[in-house]
Amino acid sequence: SWYTQEVKEKIADQGTIAHIEEVPEDLRRIFTTAHDVAPQWHVRMQAAFQKFTDNSVSKTINLPHEATVDDIEKAYILAYEQGCNGITVYRDGCKEAQVLNVGTKTVNGHAELRVRPIKVEGATYRIETPLGTAFITVNHDGNRDPFEVFINVGRAGSEVAAMAEAIGRLISTTLRFGNHLPAKERAREIIEQLHGIGGANAVGFGVNRVRSLPDAVAKAIAMHFEIQNPKSKIQNEGRETEAKNVPMFLETKQIKRDLCPSCGAGALVLEEGCAKCYACGYSKC
């Protein structure tokens, strides 16, 4: 009596009866799929066969799409402790085409962009950068997963403002795409890529030293999600010398600067209706 058309459609959609309440509990325990079995029990099943086999035993250890590097490490360590000669792990959705899919929705690696809800929560961080004071807003969703970033620096219509908006949009798109990494791991990867990028100038000292706008964005995201000690993958230590001919007052006063179209330094200042670069002398009125 429980096997109605509605239940049939649920089974076809989910590809498993493990979480369909209409199906009797005893049947749900008996008829399980590979995706219903926790990774550690995949390992233990292989170990049980391995114990009574002279040669190696091959079995796929199925991991959910959200599995992390730590989860895979735990599977390998458990396999070693249980006496397996070797294991094969597979994380659901890590390839565009795979043999086993759950339900009618094929996992092909082309994840959809998460739709922005009406309300998200976050914080805005005020950070001094070589291009002026930046206001960096970092938002998260209801699960406190990284969701989007907004960057406000420079005056409206300037090259700096356009660059900041572009960086924010790219980061937000990356965070909202469900790819092979969980949201917080994607945030950590973004931090590692941006942290330590240096331009011609830097502000601050020690741990508060900010080498560039991307470096400031990395610091804001790291502070918001309490991600410690990111390792920079881009080394620009040799580029952190002060730009020549840039007067000290540009470093000590809150003057809105733009990127110079001639030399690229963040030393273009709007004065008396004209734009002047204090790094190379370029001017435009």
Side-chain angles (χ1 to χ4, degrees):
S1 60
W2 58 266
Y3 193 53
T4 63
Q5 183 61 35
E6 182 181 356
V7 173
K8 292 179 183 179
E9 292 175 357
K10 284 185 178 181
I11 295 173
D13 182 60
Q14 296 186 25
T16 175
I17 63 174
H19 309 291
I20 300 177
E21 295 181 356
E22 292 87 345
V23 179
E25 186 177 352
D26 56 341
L27 293 180
R28 279 184 275 159
R29 288 200 303 264
I30 295 171
F31 296 100
T32 58
T33 69
H35 290 289
D36 297 327
V37 179
Q40 63 267 29
W41 289 106
H42 279 288
V43 175
R44 294 183 186 279
M45 276 190 274
Q46 178 176 330
F49 280 90
Q50 179 72 73
K51 186 176 180 180
F52 301 99
T53 306
D54 293 334
N55 209 333
S56 297
V57 174
S58 175
K59 185 192 183 307
T60 300
I61 311 302
N62 295 92
L63 293 131
H65 181 72
E66 296 77 19
T68 64
V69 174
D70 289 338
D71 294 329
I72 296 174
E73 180 184 7
K74 290 177 182 177
Y76 272 94
I77 292 175
L78 179 61
Y80 175 78
E81 294 173 345
Q82 295 291 316
C84 296
N85 290 346
I87 62 172
T88 299
V89 299
Y90 183 80
R91 185 188 59 78
D92 183 40
C94 67
K95 292 184 178 180
E96 290 190 2
Q98 62 186 40
V99 176
L100 179 63
N101 290 298
V102 176
T104 58
K105 299 176 182 178
T106 302
V107 179
N108 56 14
H110 300 291
E112 296 182 356
L113 185 68
R114 283 192 292 165
V115 178
R116 190 187 193 281
I118 296 177
K119 177 184 177 182
V120 293
E121 296 181 348
T124 299
Y125 297 84
R126 181 181 185 274
I127 300 178
E128 301 299 329
T129 79
L131 296 177
T133 302
F135 295 90
I136 303 169
T137 300
V138 183
N139 289 332
H140 55 263
D141 61 16
N143 297 320
R144 280 203 61 83
D145 283 335
F147 192 81
E148 63 188 3
V149 173
F150 296 100
I151 308 167
N152 187 359
V153 63
R155 64 182 185 279
S158 67
E159 294 298 323
V160 168
M163 179 184 67
E165 181 179 352
I167 294 175
R169 288 191 183 191
L170 288 174
I171 293 175
S172 299
T173 301
T174 300
L175 292 176
R176 291 166 62 185
F177 262 120
N179 63 3
H180 65 289
L181 291 175
K184 285 187 174 63
E185 290 301 315
R186 293 199 294 275
R188 184 184 300 275
E189 182 65 22
I190 290 171
I191 292 169
E192 291 185 354
Q193 292 292 339
L194 298 182
H195 171 73
I197 293 180
N201 306 298
V203 296
F205 301 93
V207 295
N208 295 321
R209 185 175 179 84
V210 178
R211 296 169 171 82
S212 64
L213 179 59
D215 190 35
V217 174
K219 290 181 183 299
I221 299 175
M223 283 190 290
H224 191 74
F225 296 106
E226 298 181 350
I227 299 176
Q228 303 295 327
N229 300 322
K231 297 179 180 178
S232 174
K233 293 185 178 180
I234 303 176
Q235 300 298 328
N236 290 296
E237 299 299 329
R239 297 175 56 192
E240 293 179 10
T241 56
E242 298 295 329
K244 295 180 179 179
N245 302 322
V246 178
M248 184 60 68
F249 79 88
L250 286 182
E251 301 298 325
T252 58
K253 293 185 178 181
Q254 296 299 318
I255 297 177
K256 291 186 177 181
R257 288 174 282 163
D258 203 353
L259 299 176
C260 176
S262 178
C263 68
L268 193 70
V269 178
L270 186 64
E271 293 180 334
E272 299 178 353
C274 297
K276 178 181 179 181
C277 177
Y278 281 88
C280 69
Y282 169 86
S283 63
K284 180 180 179 181
C285 296

